[in-house]
Amino acid sequence: MTAPTTPSASPLAAAKLDLAPALRGKQGIDPVLAEKYSGKSACVIGAGFGGMALAIRLQSHGIATTVVEARDRPGGRAYYWERDGFTFDAGPTVITDPPCLEELWALTGHNIADDVELMKVMPFYRLNWPDGTNFNYSNDEADLNSEIAKLNPDDVVGYQRFLEYSARVYEEGYLKLGTVPFLDFKSMLKAAPALIKEQAWRSVYSMVSSYIEHPKLREAFSFHSLLVGGNPMNTSSIYALIHKLEKDGGVWWARGGTNRLIAGMVRHFERLGGTMRVGDPVVQVHTMGTRADEVETKSGWRERFDAVASNGDIMHSYKDLLSGSPRGPQMAKSLKRKSFSPSLFVVHFGLEGTWPGIAHHMILFANRYKGLLDDIFKNGVLPEDFAIYLHHPTVTDPSMAPPGKSTFYALVPVAHMGKMPVDWDEVGPKLEKMVLDEVGRRLIPDIHDRIVTKFSYAPKDFQQDLSAYMGSAFSLEPLLWQSAYLRGHNRDDVLGNFYLVGAGTHPGAGIPGVVGSAKATAGLMLEDLAKVGA
């Protein structure tokens, strides 16, 4: 199936990796690998970032790979809509660690810049509080120190010490373990001493607070775990690595939207000879004994594969797709005992006018921090106050809206449907108005008069469109006791050729996380497929 249109090529100002062999076939695939995996086939269910990254890795080794996507276009959570000339990305919108993406092209001697144009975003985020305080967060050391000093000069030194901590957990948690599968408890025990040394049992907020005194700065340097579905008060301090990741690699945007990054991945995958099957949901992964045998879709298409990987929601993968196998209900029962991340309520809106003074990424904090997080993660209530992540891509990339107009979305974390079973058809319109009112109060006073088009996306839409369990937006909550071996395994323990990729498996959500999971899963699949028929 033809991939969505991709953006024009442009040089990428980032480090290039050349991991490809010297000798290549017509598609850039190493002939030795093509011979090694000749006749081997794999199916990847779901065309999100994790699924496409895995499919590219498999196809780059000569494995005949088919991606099956339920929705009418690739992307998964990186879906998009075009309305009244505006382009609205469903999310994610923050691109970090470009080299983890570049590597997918470099495997076969290609260049990501041939398919995707990445643009630097500065500042990374502008943080705003109800009292009017603003804080620009970036990797410009002088500017950042100046921002910190405005609130508390003593915290400049504390932040430097926090960055040193972030660098250590980045080394242990991301570089060493981010692409390594944890298939047994022993593998987790081997990693434990380094994590214990860095006090991984403490929360991100607790660790930030040990270095930073000012309450606003504690919020500023702990909110990042919310972007991957974690409560800063409970998420392991290992997630402080995000600061080092952003400091070194920057924050980026794909011209045309993150959907163009997905489109570029699809184009590259098809260039290598991969097959896309879009708009045809998988209804069953058939098994024979301890093997995944065939994949069947709603249309009646059914095909046998040597290996099957799911980039779908982890509960959906076991409860629904493997419902015909004893393994499916068994794992679904186990997963129900785990903690799932919250959902989101997202208001997409296009406005008359341009807003150069509103940053690309903004966090509009509420008056409460811990209390609000408790309402979302523990109490399961819809609070009257809320924190907003405001996305304003047209300040970086005007192509996301018609001339003289601007594209926005306002995202509010809310409890998942298991904790807060409200009628979103009734509540949604009221919350939408409250969110727009707050954006208007803080930034755009005449916002309602300027709206050209708008629509909202609620937890029930995550459940319906993405088969997300309880409408969870980030799958399993990123807790220490749901990490590594205690998270979904990259290869199933019983079905020897059934694999997982994406937010529900190690290492977790976010673009670098799911692309890292694809590398871990691909390593297992390549090793296993090399043995098939040998």
Side-chain angles (χ1 to χ4, degrees):
M1 183 167 292
T2 303
T5 306
T6 53
S8 58
S10 176
L12 172 61
K16 298 295 184 290
L17 302 174
D18 188 6
L19 308 180
L23 298 173
R24 304 183 184 283
K26 183 174 66 174
Q27 298 159 327
I29 299 172
D30 178 3
V32 176
L33 293 176
E35 176 64 26
K36 180 178 181 179
Y37 293 105
S38 176
K40 310 294 171 61
S41 64
C43 178
V44 177
I45 301 167
F49 277 114
M52 290 311 306
L54 176 60
I56 288 169
R57 286 188 173 277
L58 297 176
Q59 193 67 42
S60 294
H61 283 74
I63 296 165
T65 305
T66 300
V67 176
V68 185
E69 168 57 43
R71 302 181 79 177
D72 62 342
R73 56 182 61 152
R77 280 166 171 74
Y79 194 81
Y80 72 101
W81 300 271
E82 294 175 315
R83 299 195 179 186
D84 300 313
F86 297 84
T87 301
F88 297 101
D89 270 324
T93 57
V94 179
I95 300 172
T96 56
D97 192 17
C100 80
L101 296 166
E102 292 173 328
E103 187 175 321
L104 299 173
W105 275 259
L107 286 166
T108 47
H110 293 91
N111 193 322
I112 188 174
D114 293 338
D115 297 307
V116 184
E117 180 184 350
L118 293 185
M119 310 167 71
K120 282 186 175 180
V121 175
M122 286 293 277
F124 294 170
Y125 312 94
R126 177 168 298 148
L127 314 181
N128 172 271
W129 285 267
D131 65 3
T133 300
N134 284 305
F135 181 91
N136 284 340
Y137 170 70
S138 73
N139 61 353
D140 185 306
E141 187 172 354
D143 286 352
L144 186 55
N145 287 341
S146 174
E147 292 287 296
I148 294 170
K150 288 176 188 176
L151 293 175
N152 183 15
D154 291 342
D155 281 332
V156 172
V157 174
Y159 178 68
Q160 292 305 315
R161 290 171 53 229
F162 171 66
L163 263 186
E164 292 169 6
Y165 173 80
S166 176
R168 294 198 302 272
V169 293
Y170 170 78
E171 176 74 22
E172 295 296 336
Y174 189 73
L175 295 182
K176 291 184 180 179
L177 303 178
T179 59
V180 177
F182 287 81
L183 301 179
D184 53 43
F185 194 66
K186 186 170 71 174
S187 61
M188 189 164 177
L189 288 178
K190 285 177 65 178
L195 300 182
I196 291 171
K197 180 183 177 183
E198 301 302 343
Q199 304 179 65
W201 67 85
R202 295 180 62 176
S203 72
V204 172
Y205 186 82
S206 169
M207 190 57 71
V208 169
S209 298
S210 70
Y211 296 104
I212 304 291
E213 295 177 357
H214 196 284
K216 284 187 171 71
L217 292 175
R218 288 178 173 181
E219 294 178 23
F221 297 125
S222 67
F223 80 87
H224 287 77
S225 60
L226 285 164
L227 302 180
V228 292
N231 181 349
M233 301 295 172
N234 292 331
T235 300
S236 168
S237 59
I238 292 297
Y239 280 82
L241 65 83
I242 295 173
H243 288 269
K244 174 67 172 174
L245 187 72
E246 291 182 341
K247 184 177 187 298
D248 287 0
V251 170
W252 299 80
W253 170 254
R255 185 180 294 279
T258 46
N259 67 86
R260 294 297 88 192
L261 177 52
I262 283 288
M265 295 173 82
V266 170
R267 180 179 178 181
H268 181 53
F269 173 65
E270 292 186 324
R271 175 190 295 130
L272 298 174
T275 300
M276 296 293 300
R277 187 176 185 86
V278 176
D280 194 9
V282 172
V283 294
Q284 191 70 209
V285 175
H286 296 279
T287 61
M288 183 175 292
T290 59
R291 304 282 295 174
D293 190 42
E294 294 178 324
V295 174
E296 182 180 357
T297 64
K298 186 177 180 179
S299 71
W301 175 83
R302 183 166 172 165
E303 192 161 325
R304 185 180 299 254
F305 293 94
D306 294 312
V308 178
S310 179
N311 182 217
D313 177 83
I314 189 170
M315 178 65 86
H316 172 62
S317 297
Y318 282 105
K319 179 176 176 289
D320 302 321
L321 303 187
L322 285 168
S323 60
S325 163
R327 180 59 173 163
Q330 177 194 42
M331 266 300 291
K333 183 178 180 181
S334 175
L335 288 168
K336 282 184 179 180
R337 295 193 290 266
K338 293 187 177 291
S339 177
F340 280 76
S341 68
S343 191
L344 303 171
F345 183 80
V346 189
V347 184
H348 297 270
F349 54 101
L351 298 183
E352 289 280 0
T354 57
W355 306 92
I358 298 178
H360 189 132
H361 302 293
M362 286 196 70
I363 306 294
L364 307 183
F365 287 108
N367 282 313
R368 298 186 301 154
Y369 192 55
K370 184 181 184 302
L372 183 58
L373 293 170
D374 284 344
D375 283 347
I376 296 166
F377 285 85
K378 295 179 180 178
N379 303 331
V381 299
L382 189 63
E384 292 187 4
D385 60 338
F386 36 76
I388 298 171
Y389 161 56
L390 185 68
H391 182 228
H392 176 214
T394 38
V395 75
T396 301
D397 179 8
S399 73
M400 297 292 286
K405 297 180 173 62
S406 300
T407 295
F408 289 88
Y409 83 46
L411 177 156
V412 175
V414 295
H416 62 59
M417 297 166 71
K419 275 190 166 67
M420 190 175 67
V422 303
D423 182 351
W424 281 104
D425 290 332
E426 179 184 345
V427 172
K430 298 176 183 176
L431 183 55
E432 178 186 279
K433 183 179 184 305
M434 290 170 65
V435 170
L436 291 173
D437 286 348
E438 184 65 9
V439 175
R441 188 182 73 79
R442 307 266 281 261
L443 296 169
I444 309 171
D446 57 349
I447 187 171
H448 291 285
D449 296 332
R450 290 180 173 273
I451 290 175
V452 177
T453 187
K454 66 181 173 70
F455 64 99
S456 298
Y457 203 77
K460 69 180 181 66
D461 299 307
F462 282 91
Q463 184 181 59
Q464 178 179 309
D465 295 344
L466 297 162
S467 300
Y469 183 56
M470 299 186 296
S472 169
F474 305 93
S475 192
L476 295 171
E477 190 177 347
L479 301 165
L480 186 61
W481 53 93
Q482 292 188 166
S483 301
Y485 175 71
L486 303 177
R487 204 166 181 82
H489 295 176
N490 300 81
R491 179 177 61 210
D492 186 73
D493 295 348
V494 175
L495 301 173
N497 66 335
F498 182 74
Y499 307 82
L500 295 176
V501 64
T505 188
H506 173 72
I511 294 177
V514 299
V515 171
S517 82
K519 189 171 184 177
T521 300
L524 294 171
M525 295 180 75
L526 292 171
E527 182 182 333
D528 294 344
L529 285 168
K531 300 172 186 174
V532 174

